[in-house]
Amino acid sequence: MDPQNLEKINEILDSDVAIREKIKEQVVDLDRKTRTLSGILNKIHSTRSEHMAALLDTARPVLESCRETTAALANIIPENQFWRWREMWQNSLRNAVFSATLIEYLSSGALLSLPGVAETLGIRSEWQGRFALPAEDYLHGVISLVNELSRLAVNAVTLGDFEQPIKISLFVKDLFAGFAMLNLKNDTLRRRYDSLKYDIKKIEEVVYDVSLRKLAPSAKEQS
């Protein structure tokens, strides 16, 4: 093999190793932040509604700090190589999406859109080709949101918040209807979407029990 060709290949390999190590550093940082967020947000299951805003205020600075990491990743990735490296931070980014959507739902009762999540995480449109928020990763984060809300529906009743499960039920059913209109060709995403039926069933059981005992207004009255 031509020595010059070998030298060029070695340069490419060395460059790839350097990029990979830099990405790993930032992914470790993003993982640390999303774990911190997870620890804070897990407290929603034992926090009464009147104290929820204060809890979310402690999570927001951590979520905002993720912008530093996404910017660092965008600076590391060479132009047009996003899809080559994205698997390294894919799970971490989905966890960040989940945290962003959960905080928004608990604050406003609304779903944070894909552009809204990208803005929250500081992901800029001009980074396209280097770093972006793919629709699939956004949808995985939204499914995780539904998983968490099915837990919250149960735990809210334990804390005496009987209206929360009904609000969650209306929100989740609307989301499920939206998912049904999507052409989901990704097998993993499709399986996770199918699993939402179990979350909806769990929430419906809680709502039924609350309604039967007349502990809160019916879903029809709230819709």
Side-chain angles (χ1 to χ4, degrees):
M1 193 180 285
D2 183 1
Q4 284 188 328
N5 190 28
L6 285 171
E7 185 177 347
K8 183 65 177 176
I9 291 171
N10 270 326
E11 287 176 4
I12 293 171
L13 292 174
D14 289 344
S15 175
D16 284 354
V17 169
I19 291 171
R20 189 177 299 277
E21 289 305 312
K22 288 178 182 178
I23 292 173
K24 279 183 181 176
E25 289 178 11
Q26 297 306 319
V27 171
V28 167
D29 184 55
L30 188 57
D31 280 340
R32 178 180 56 80
K33 290 172 180 176
T34 55
R35 281 197 304 271
T36 300
L37 280 168
S38 179
I40 295 170
L41 294 174
N42 194 51
K43 295 177 183 177
I44 66 173
H45 300 287
S46 56
T47 300
R48 295 187 179 278
S49 55
E50 62 266 28
H51 303 304
M52 192 67 75
L55 176 64
L56 298 179
D57 284 342
T58 65
R60 284 193 183 91
V62 183
L63 182 64
E64 290 170 2
S65 72
C66 291
R67 296 173 184 174
E68 300 167 10
T69 313
T70 57
L73 284 166
N75 288 330
I76 293 167
I77 309 303
E79 198 66 42
N80 299 319
Q81 290 196 22
F82 168 74
W83 295 101
R84 180 182 177 188
W85 302 101
R86 71 181 284 250
E87 288 186 3
M88 291 188 67
W89 62 76
Q90 193 173 58
N91 289 334
S92 306
L93 186 59
R94 290 173 183 178
N95 290 336
V97 171
F98 158 69
S99 295
T101 54
L102 180 58
I103 289 171
E104 179 63 29
Y105 172 77
L106 294 171
S107 301
S108 68
L111 175 66
L112 190 60
S113 66
L114 192 157
V117 173
E119 183 179 353
T120 298
L121 298 178
I123 301 173
R124 302 177 185 175
S125 57
E126 58 262 34
W127 295 349
Q128 208 77 9
R130 290 184 290 137
F131 193 87
L133 175 58
E136 287 180 4
D137 292 340
Y138 169 74
L139 292 174
H140 273 288
V142 171
I143 290 172
S144 295
L145 167 67
V146 176
N147 299 154
E148 195 71 12
L149 290 180
S150 70
R151 275 187 69 204
L152 182 60
V154 176
N155 292 320
V157 172
T158 306
L159 293 172
D161 185 353
F162 303 116
E163 292 189 15
Q164 184 69 271
I166 298 172
K167 293 176 182 176
I168 290 173
S169 178
L170 294 170
F171 176 77
V172 168
K173 285 179 179 178
D174 184 57
L175 270 184
F176 188 77
F179 266 96
M181 297 174 68
L182 297 174
N183 184 18
L184 301 176
K185 294 183 178 180
N186 180 291
D187 288 343
T188 305
L189 192 57
R190 180 78 201 184
R191 283 195 299 272
R192 291 201 68 203
Y193 159 70
D194 289 339
S195 73
L196 291 182
K197 297 171 187 174
Y198 300 103
D199 290 306
I200 291 174
K201 183 180 179 183
K202 182 195 290 187
I203 296 166
E204 285 178 341
E205 287 172 352
V206 175
V207 171
Y208 176 75
D209 189 53
V210 167
S211 301
L212 194 66
R213 296 169 184 267
K214 298 182 179 180
L215 297 171
S218 68
K220 288 183 181 180
E221 290 174 357
Q222 293 213 6
S223 59

